[in-house]
Amino acid sequence: MWVEPPIALTALPREPGVYRMLDHARKVIYVGKARNLRKRVSSYFQRQPESPRTIAMVRQVRDIAFSVTPSEAEALVLEHNLIKQLKPRYNVLMKDSKTYPYILLSDEPFPKLTMYRGNRTLPGEYFGPFPNAGAVHQTLHIMQSMFLLRDCEDAVFNNRSRPCMQHQIGRCSAPCCDIVSKAEYRRQVDEVRQFLRGRDNDLLKGWEQQMQQAADAMQFEQAAILRDRIRALRSVLAGSEGGDLPDDADGIVLIRHTTAVLACIGVRRGGRDLGTHNIRIDQATDAGELEILQSLLIERYEKELPPADILVNTCKENIQELNRLIALIKPGKKTAVHSPVRGSRLQWLQQIGHSGAQIIASRKQESQQPAFAALAEMLAMEVVPERIAAVDNAHLGGTQMVAAITYAGWQGAEKDYYRRYKLDGIAGQVIEGDDYGAMQAVLERFFRAIREDTIPCPDLMLIDGGRGQLGVALQCATDAGLHELKLAGVAKGDARRVGEETIWPGWTDSGAIGIGKPLKPGRHSAALLLIARVRDEAHRFAGAYMRKRKKQSMFTSVLDTVEGIGPAKRISLLKHFGGIEGVKKAGRKQLAQAPGISDKLAEKIFLSLHK
């Protein structure tokens, strides 16, 4: 044996299960599955592995724990769950925290079309998943001009007294004002379903018959509207023929590059291409293709409904294993994994791969890896960080308190992970203008998201401020159990110019958690310029959110802050008193005489308006 195993290998069972490799601190550094636990674990020690990653891992193993499962397939699912929970250093890790967007056709008397993310708990029909929000917005934009369904919120819909601008520009049939009957609107909804389910030919035939009937009845205006809809739909369908491509399918292509593997997923639904979604897979450059594909399929389809066909460019042996996996995680769904060898299916996969290769080529030209290496050297970090996060707070004279967190990697900004937080009004936590309280409030929420695996943990996090803010951040990280997260404070100079900042590491010379010695790298430091770019992006993002909230508050009625006043009562009050000034001048008795206003509510309104 090239390395002595930490336990007696003969003690391992010859059954399927999951094994966990532990280091000297009893931290899990690798989780694996096996059809035969004894045979699989023994293979690590009998001969030196070819993979550098595996060699480095085995040399750190000090103990091995295992769990027996009824089958290898169940071992695979258990392995995936443990990897998500423990995040071992040497496992393949997905860098995708997104929930995929859907189009929701709501279940209401007058249904509306909206984009929806998250658990599909709202009543209605869901169409998707779409690869990104842009594909959803593009589809909704096309559909509104063809089918005239509403997209407004219920509060707006229920309080309209005349049609809005969407109706005037021909993008809504205005069911809010009874311009379209309920039966006619239901027909529009049925047409939307046909479009989203790919039944375009049936839809076109129906419109052509309606156009001819309108023309025969000399209803030429209605015939012209139907003619324009037919032209619009034909233009959407032009060039969308996919040969023998399935109507509902995902195409998966893996592209390896120097630091990770890029998984490119093409999406087809209802006979139309919806675009490509790219997932970065770290620690997978020397991992096997089957291991990567299995992790990817579990990650993508454990919660999402898979399509009828999944196309993957891999060998037949891998296809058999992937079909077993899909049958396990979605037993009630008829989904098949294929590996096309010719025709339009293979061309589609090649097109997806070409798109991913172009992304990698463009990112290589913009790589900031040298600046990240300089940052690691300046801060004496053992490993060059691949992802940096920065947090910044903003407020207007103590009001409109917000915070923003941004991410940056070797290829620049990672906007999928940007987050913003509203901080004012958090009872018992943040006093107006309290920067320390604001920092604590945002970091507690951010670190909770990391623990819940809804956002990846950065390799380094920049805290806007000096020793005080860094001390708050270190305490929050400790309370959250994120002991390995590196934190650094960035204090601006007196003139607040780039190059005069002081950097406070969140660790001492011995590596222990604490405030280290301050660093003044100077304006010519590549590391400091990188820090300034990331910090300034967080500042820009926070400032934009603060200004947006300020603008929204300018158009908010003071009545909106009164508990018990909704849209209907607010409109009733304004109509009764002729505007907000009339409401302010009214006494308690006059307020109570307004429709729907009780004596108790009148008292609340009066006190709110005369603070």
Side-chain angles (χ1 to χ4, degrees):
M1 294 189 180
W2 74 283
V3 171
E4 193 67 26
I7 65 171
L9 298 178
T10 54
L12 293 169
R14 299 181 183 272
E15 298 179 55
V18 171
Y19 57 91
R20 300 179 292 283
M21 303 291 199
L22 291 78
D23 63 9
H24 68 281
R26 299 206 54 81
K27 180 180 179 181
V28 177
I29 58 174
Y30 185 78
V31 175
K33 67 171 191 318
R35 184 179 304 166
N36 183 318
L37 280 168
R38 184 185 300 182
K39 184 177 180 180
R40 180 70 185 98
V41 175
S42 299
S43 67
Y44 286 101
F45 303 95
Q46 290 172 344
R47 65 183 64 87
Q48 182 169 320
E50 296 181 0
S51 165
R53 178 184 67 145
T54 308
I55 293 173
M57 183 268 293
V58 173
R59 283 177 172 159
Q60 297 179 44
V61 175
R62 297 296 179 268
D63 196 5
I64 301 173
F66 63 89
S67 302
V68 176
T69 59
S71 67
E72 185 185 7
E74 292 182 41
L76 180 61
V77 176
L78 176 59
E79 175 201 34
H80 176 77
N81 292 334
L82 287 173
I83 290 172
K84 288 187 69 175
Q85 177 185 346
L86 302 173
K87 298 182 178 61
R89 180 178 179 183
Y90 290 98
N91 276 101
V92 171
L93 300 176
M94 301 288 170
K95 298 294 184 181
D96 183 41
S97 64
K98 285 185 176 179
T99 54
Y100 296 103
Y102 284 77
I103 287 179
L104 170 61
L105 181 62
S106 63
D107 184 13
E108 300 174 272
F110 291 96
K112 64 176 180 288
L113 282 171
T114 56
M115 185 181 83
Y116 185 84
R117 286 186 188 269
N119 295 328
R120 296 186 292 281
T121 55
L122 292 180
E125 298 177 62
Y126 294 85
F127 299 91
F130 287 76
N132 52 65
V136 177
H137 291 310
Q138 182 181 11
T139 304
L140 287 175
H141 182 78
I142 294 169
M143 293 173 67
Q144 283 173 347
S145 61
M146 289 193 295
F147 304 109
L148 311 183
L149 258 61
R150 72 181 182 97
D151 65 346
C152 56
E153 296 296 328
D154 292 342
V156 176
F157 176 79
N158 294 329
N159 290 285
R160 293 295 307 183
S161 58
R162 59 181 180 177
C164 66
M165 183 65 71
Q166 288 290 90
H167 173 72
Q168 296 178 32
I169 63 175
R171 297 177 62 83
C172 179
S173 54
C176 55
C177 300
D178 297 327
I179 291 179
V180 61
S181 67
K182 191 171 184 178
E184 177 64 17
Y185 194 82
R186 279 290 174 187
R187 187 185 61 77
Q188 295 172 205
V189 172
D190 290 338
E191 291 175 347
V192 166
R193 290 194 183 98
Q194 286 182 289
F195 177 79
L196 289 171
R197 292 171 180 171
R199 293 164 54 189
D200 305 308
N201 290 331
D202 294 342
L203 191 57
L204 282 171
K205 288 178 182 178
W207 282 354
E208 287 170 351
Q209 291 176 359
Q210 294 174 33
M211 181 179 67
Q212 187 60 49
Q213 292 171 0
D216 293 342
M218 291 188 293
Q219 298 174 353
F220 300 116
E221 185 176 349
Q222 179 64 21
I225 292 173
L226 289 165
R227 177 203 62 198
D228 293 340
R229 289 187 193 174
I230 292 170
R231 287 178 179 174
L233 182 55
R234 290 192 188 280
S235 67
V236 171
L237 301 178
S240 65
E241 296 296 328
D244 64 343
L245 285 177
D247 287 343
D248 298 320
D250 284 350
I252 300 175
V253 177
L254 300 181
I255 303 177
R256 297 180 184 267
H257 56 105
T258 53
T259 59
V261 172
L262 186 69
C264 306
I265 305 174
V267 181
R268 278 181 64 86
R269 295 294 185 272
R272 283 182 288 276
D273 283 336
L274 301 183
T276 303
H277 177 50
N278 302 305
I279 301 177
R280 170 179 163 154
I281 309 174
D282 280 357
Q283 302 176 16
T285 52
D286 54 357
E289 188 174 61
L290 179 59
E291 179 185 0
I292 298 172
L293 288 171
Q294 287 175 328
S295 300
L296 181 63
L297 261 60
I298 296 177
E299 181 71 22
R300 180 167 174 83
Y301 301 121
E302 194 173 30
K303 295 181 180 178
E304 302 291 339
L305 195 65
D309 294 277
I310 301 173
L311 308 182
V312 186
N313 193 3
T314 188
C315 63
K316 290 184 178 179
E317 292 77 10
N318 289 350
I319 291 295
Q320 294 174 355
E321 293 295 330
L322 296 176
N323 273 307
R324 291 194 192 101
L325 175 61
I326 286 291
L328 175 69
I329 61 178
K330 294 293 181 183
K333 175 68 177 175
K334 292 183 179 180
T335 297
V337 184
H338 308 284
S339 179
V341 294
R342 65 177 66 87
S344 57
R345 299 187 177 207
L346 180 60
Q347 291 176 1
W348 185 43
L349 287 183
Q350 290 172 343
Q351 180 183 349
I352 295 169
H354 178 71
S355 174
Q358 293 296 318
I359 292 173
I360 292 175
S362 64
R363 288 179 176 177
K364 282 181 178 178
Q365 296 174 357
E366 303 171 358
S367 177
Q368 299 179 25
Q369 184 178 356
F372 278 70
L375 177 61
E377 182 179 358
M378 182 189 77
L379 295 175
M381 299 176 67
E382 296 180 358
V383 180
V384 176
E386 295 183 22
R387 177 173 285 130
I388 299 175
V391 58
D392 185 66
N393 298 328
H395 60 84
L396 284 171
T399 63
Q400 304 293 350
M401 294 184 67
V402 300
I405 291 176
T406 59
Y407 274 69
W410 288 357
Q411 280 73 46
E414 298 185 342
K415 295 190 176 182
D416 290 342
Y417 305 130
Y418 279 25
R419 297 292 185 270
R420 57 191 189 184
Y421 303 86
K422 182 174 69 174
L423 301 179
D424 52 355
I426 304 178
Q429 286 194 23
V430 183
I431 302 172
E432 288 188 355
D434 179 9
D435 195 36
Y436 290 171
M439 184 66 69
Q440 179 181 352
V442 64
L443 290 181
E444 285 177 351
R445 292 161 66 181
F446 176 63
F447 291 157
R448 189 184 310 123
I450 291 177
R451 290 202 318 271
E452 294 172 355
D453 200 28
T454 59
I455 194 169
C457 184
D459 302 313
L460 174 68
M461 185 161 192
L462 304 177
I463 308 299
D464 185 46
R467 291 176 58 95
Q469 287 86 349
L470 179 59
V472 172
L474 288 171
Q475 186 60 52
C476 290
T478 301
D479 294 342
L482 301 175
H483 304 291
E484 296 187 358
L485 174 59
K486 298 291 187 182
L487 299 167
V490 184
K492 304 179 182 70
D494 294 335
R496 306 178 73 85
R497 288 197 297 262
V498 174
E500 297 184 1
E501 293 88 349
T502 301
I503 311 301
W504 294 87
W507 59 93
T508 62
D509 292 341
S510 64
I513 296 175
I515 299 178
K517 297 178 181 177
L519 303 172
K520 293 276 291 185
R523 69 181 63 187
H524 299 295
S525 168
L528 183 61
L529 294 177
L530 172 63
I531 288 174
R533 285 199 300 272
V534 178
R535 177 206 60 194
D536 291 347
E537 173 65 1
H539 183 71
R540 179 202 66 79
F541 194 51
Y545 184 40
M546 177 188 65
R547 290 188 292 273
K548 178 181 178 181
R549 290 195 60 218
K550 178 61 177 177
K551 185 177 180 181
Q552 289 174 340
S553 68
M554 294 171 62
F555 296 96
T556 302
S557 170
V558 291
L559 294 174
D560 294 332
T561 63
V562 181
E563 183 181 358
I565 296 292
K569 289 184 179 178
R570 183 188 66 218
I571 292 173
S572 176
L573 275 170
L574 294 175
K575 284 184 176 179
H576 184 80
F577 291 103
I580 189 63
E581 291 302 321
V583 178
K584 289 180 178 180
K585 292 176 182 178
R588 293 177 175 84
K589 291 183 179 180
Q590 292 173 310
L591 289 169
Q593 293 172 0
I597 305 299
S598 64
D599 292 341
K600 185 176 179 180
L601 187 54
E603 180 71 19
K604 284 185 179 180
I605 297 170
F606 184 84
L607 293 176
S608 296
L609 297 179
H610 296 83
K611 289 182 179 178

